[in-house]
Amino acid sequence: MGRFAGLIQSQAARYRVIHRGLVVCLMIALATTFIADHYGGPTLLYALLFGMSLHFLSDNESCRPGVEFTAKSVLRFGVALLGARMTYAQIEALGVGPVVLVVVAVGVVIFAGALVARLLGLARDIGLLTGGAVAICGASAALALSAVMPKHETHERNTILTVVGVTTLSTAAMVIYPLIVGAFGLSDAQAGIFLGATIHDVAQVVGAGYMISDQTGDISTLIKLLRVAMLVPVVLVFIWIFRSQTTDGRDSGGPVMLPGFLLAFVALVVVNSIGLIPESVGEGLSNVSRWCLVAAISALGIKTSFQKLAVVGWRPVFLMLIETGLLLVLVLAVVLYARLGV
């Protein structure tokens, strides 16, 4: 009983330390969600910009612990809850072709990102991070992958830049890609595969898909969720790639440990596949995940200044454009090839 009381006291003390920064991030999430829901636009980008406008709070001793907690712990909790949206049956219903397409496209774009980053004189890390964000699920993937990458002086700046880039490109793709569907005369099913496999963020995929038809919207959402599921193997690969690096780049010599949020993600997929999560509960977990990610982005915004972003130059932006273009051309070529029945 005494041990339980001690645990409660320690958690209460921790809450007193983090509550100010945590409340600030949640208020930003509330404000930006309200704006996005009533006036349109990407919630995550709004949250990021609002957070950056409050960068001075990163130097406030009473707010800093809560901001750090939100940027790390709340972020990982939100990523873990993404698993409640996935089931094995959804993947199986797609058939082999779309699954192979998604797996290959993700691998090619991430590899190309690392290669092109080197050609542009950038670090491999930002190529892997932007490639994973473009190939998988935009800002959510950027946050998840960033969580298992080595921390260095440019780490948070690269993460913020990637989130801004993929969110902006995803918004543009939601408008432009349906025009491509019309230009090539894709069927509803083909359009669903194309949109789900190319647009960066889930919300924009849903918007573009249902803009065309209900069938296109359903298929594009399933394809997008399959890309979300690719977070698991890609995070594992990233852990292996960076397994020997500490924050200063030296060999850690320790065993590879799977992050708890990744194990929770897989567990939720399994539980949801079995059918133990009611639809209403799954929807609720999905909403909680969304709120966590918005709050985490707010915290990252608070920790980042416009001045730091201004020094990155044009090369990272050009890198994300190349990765986006590569994914677009690859998926469209496969869809058109399959339509010809060659």
Side-chain angles (χ1 to χ4, degrees):
M1 188 69 178
R3 183 181 301 176
F4 180 71
L7 178 62
I8 293 178
Q9 290 177 352
S10 65
Q11 292 301 316
R14 187 185 185 193
Y15 175 75
R16 283 194 295 270
V17 171
I18 68 172
H19 81 278
R20 286 186 175 88
L22 178 60
V23 168
V24 168
C25 295
L26 291 176
M27 291 301 293
I28 295 174
L30 282 169
T32 54
T33 300
F34 177 85
I35 293 172
D37 289 346
H38 289 77
Y39 301 101
T43 307
L44 290 177
L45 183 58
Y46 289 158
L48 178 60
L49 295 176
F50 271 53
M52 292 175 70
S53 70
L54 299 176
H55 173 64
F56 65 91
L57 291 177
S58 63
D59 296 324
N60 186 291
E61 294 295 333
S62 62
C63 286
R64 185 187 302 142
V67 171
E68 293 286 347
F69 173 81
T70 308
K72 294 178 181 178
S73 299
V74 174
L75 162 64
R76 297 185 179 196
F77 184 70
V79 172
L81 291 182
L82 288 173
R85 303 166 63 166
M86 289 291 305
T87 65
Y88 174 75
Q90 290 174 333
I91 299 174
E92 187 179 35
L94 293 174
V96 176
V99 173
V100 173
L101 171 61
V102 168
V103 172
V104 171
V106 168
V108 168
V109 172
I110 293 176
F111 176 79
L115 179 62
V116 174
R118 288 294 180 89
L119 294 176
L120 292 173
L122 298 169
R124 179 190 63 169
D125 289 17
I126 192 170
L128 292 172
L129 180 62
T130 57
V134 168
I136 302 174
C137 55
S140 300
L143 296 173
L145 296 174
S146 173
V148 298
M149 296 177 72
K151 307 301 184 288
H152 47 72
E153 60 181 8
T154 61
H155 175 77
E156 289 181 354
R157 187 182 71 193
N158 290 343
T159 302
I160 291 295
L161 181 66
T162 302
V163 169
V164 172
V166 297
T167 303
T168 303
L169 288 170
S170 184
T171 303
M174 181 180 66
V175 177
I176 297 171
Y177 286 12
L179 301 178
I180 296 176
V181 169
F184 284 93
L186 300 181
S187 68
D188 286 349
Q190 293 165 344
I193 295 173
F194 168 69
L195 296 175
T198 53
I199 297 179
H200 309 67
D201 286 307
V202 176
Q204 280 78 0
V205 168
V206 173
Y210 286 105
M211 190 186 301
I212 295 175
S213 71
D214 288 344
Q215 182 185 7
T216 298
D218 292 343
I219 294 175
S220 63
T221 301
L222 287 177
I223 295 291
K224 185 61 189 178
L225 290 178
L226 175 59
R227 287 170 68 192
V228 173
M230 288 297 294
L231 260 180
V232 176
V234 172
V235 166
L236 290 175
V237 170
F238 272 45
I239 292 173
W240 179 79
I241 291 174
F242 299 111
R243 70 191 185 283
S244 62
Q245 295 185 24
T246 58
T247 54
D248 57 5
R250 294 177 298 179
D251 194 318
S252 65
V256 178
M257 301 295 291
L258 294 179
F261 76 88
L262 181 62
L263 296 176
F265 179 97
V266 175
L268 281 173
V269 172
V270 172
V271 171
N272 198 28
S273 298
I274 298 173
L276 297 180
I277 301 180
E279 184 177 347
S280 58
V281 174
E283 184 176 345
L285 292 176
S286 179
N287 288 331
V288 172
S289 172
R290 175 173 170 267
W291 280 103
C292 288
L293 294 178
V294 175
I297 271 290
S298 304
L300 286 174
I302 291 173
K303 295 174 64 177
T304 304
S305 67
F306 286 105
Q307 184 178 4
K308 291 181 179 178
L309 286 180
V311 302
V312 299
W314 59 270
R315 290 177 295 177
V317 177
F318 187 57
L319 172 62
M320 282 183 275
L321 285 171
I322 291 176
E323 292 162 346
T324 299
L326 174 62
L327 182 62
L328 168 64
V329 171
L330 176 62
V331 172
L332 183 59
V334 171
V335 170
L336 293 176
Y337 182 85
R339 183 175 68 172
L340 294 174
V342 182

